Amino acid sequence: MSDLLNDIQSDLPSVSCSEGDGLRFLHLGDTPWVQGCMRLRRPYTLELDYVQRMMAWLLWHDVGDPQHLRSLHAVQLGLGAAALTKFCSRQVGCKTTAVEINEQVIAACRLWFALPPDDAQLQVLWGDANEWVHYPDHAQTVDALMVDLYDQEAQGPVLDSVDFYSACRQVLRDEGITTINLFGHTQGYAQSLARIKLAFGKHNVLAFKPTREGNVVVLAMRQARNVDAATLTLRCDVLKKNWKLPAAQWLSLLKPA
């Protein structure tokens, strides 16, 4: 496995960062596309709208119970600038795993984006996301799977097949939820959404309206789950109070796909 990864590294883009308005941005190759960002004075907050929406799976959990949150396992496929990984492990307090194929991205996040070293709660793996979700030992071990897999061109997700999304479903526990970042303004969005529906079942898939930048976060459940309006309202209040997440707005933006 490590020999294969070493061979892949030679074809992967270099990593760089830029800064402006108190933010640090991660870039791949020589393209202007932003792969993630961090506010220098608040390195563990979530700045981008779509990244915040990737945490919408919290609406289906008792966010007022720290012990419950600590019992969860969140996995991020595609490290980016490590915003979600840091938030889950250090803010939410759940067990967190990240899988990233570009070793330079991991090094950059440790050096420039305040990614803590691995410990009992946090594990950052150098590996292939597709292999990780297909590994039998990972079946039904994940409560929240966050998928954000783009290359330097950012034209579409690098893993986007029914087989991949079906494997994502298989790693979820019965009440598990996947959030997936797609670009709503690209030609392939409808096809990506159709593949997700085939893998998860069309009644188990929700989608946010696009952000101003065009990102659409899709939420796919292993099995349908309902939460009453009063409980959702209370959880939105907790998410705003504890982590300044605009969860109340999410309720009007999240619809059946």
Side-chain angles (χ1 to χ4, degrees):
M1 175 66 177
S2 60
D3 290 341
L4 177 59
L5 285 173
N6 282 320
D7 291 340
I8 292 172
Q9 294 308 296
S10 61
D11 297 324
L12 293 175
S14 59
V15 177
S16 63
C17 71
S18 62
E19 292 184 12
D21 298 324
L23 295 170
R24 180 172 291 162
F25 302 94
L26 179 74
H27 306 275
L28 296 178
D30 56 2
T31 66
W33 295 106
V34 170
Q35 300 291 331
C37 74
M38 175 186 74
R39 185 161 296 280
L40 295 173
R41 291 188 177 182
R42 297 194 297 272
Y44 292 98
T45 61
L46 300 179
E47 293 296 326
L48 301 176
D49 287 342
Y50 95 86
V51 177
Q52 293 177 349
R53 294 177 187 183
M54 293 286 283
M55 295 297 302
W57 56 267
L58 285 170
L59 291 171
W60 280 263
H61 289 280
D62 185 357
V63 291
D65 182 355
Q67 184 174 352
H68 170 69
L69 294 177
R70 284 194 297 269
S71 72
L72 301 177
H73 182 200
V75 174
Q76 182 180 2
L77 301 182
L79 184 61
L84 289 168
T85 294
K86 292 185 300 183
F87 188 83
C88 288
S89 63
R90 294 304 186 257
Q91 299 277 56
V92 178
C94 56
K95 176 184 176 183
T96 307
T97 303
V99 184
E100 170 58 50
I101 198 169
N102 191 332
E103 199 172 23
Q104 290 185 60
V105 170
I106 298 174
C109 287
R110 301 280 195 206
L111 184 63
W112 298 328
F113 291 91
L115 177 64
D118 286 0
D119 55 26
Q121 189 177 25
L122 171 65
Q123 186 178 39
V124 179
L125 303 174
W126 175 39
D128 184 283
N130 192 47
E131 290 190 6
W132 194 92
V133 296
H134 279 91
Y135 192 62
D137 285 0
H138 297 151
Q140 293 193 283
T141 63
V142 178
D143 298 286
L145 181 67
M146 298 164 287
V147 182
D148 193 5
L149 296 166
Y150 285 82
D151 60 16
Q152 69 270 28
E153 301 300 330
Q155 294 302 303
V158 295
L159 295 175
D160 190 37
S161 66
V162 175
D163 176 71
F164 170 70
Y165 293 126
S166 296
C168 289
R169 183 181 182 275
Q170 288 304 312
V171 302
L172 296 176
R173 292 176 176 145
D174 286 343
E175 297 187 344
I177 296 173
T178 295
T179 51
I180 305 162
N181 175 36
L182 299 176
F183 281 158
H185 298 330
T186 61
Q187 224 173 10
Y189 169 72
Q191 290 90 335
S192 296
L193 188 60
R195 295 181 189 111
I196 294 168
K197 288 181 180 180
L198 282 172
F200 283 85
K202 63 180 181 180
H203 298 298
N204 297 338
V205 180
L206 307 172
F208 278 96
K209 292 181 179 179
T211 64
R212 286 176 297 178
E213 297 76 21
N215 298 82
V216 175
V217 172
V218 175
L219 190 149
M221 305 177 184
R222 183 179 175 93
Q223 57 188 25
R225 297 175 59 194
N226 294 315
V227 181
D228 63 82
T231 300
L232 282 175
T233 299
L234 288 174
R235 290 176 180 175
C236 287
D237 291 342
V238 173
L239 291 174
K240 182 176 182 179
K241 178 182 177 181
N242 289 357
W243 303 302
K244 295 181 172 57
L245 293 175
Q249 299 174 20
W250 294 349
L251 302 183
S252 61
L253 298 171
L254 189 60
K255 304 293 182 183

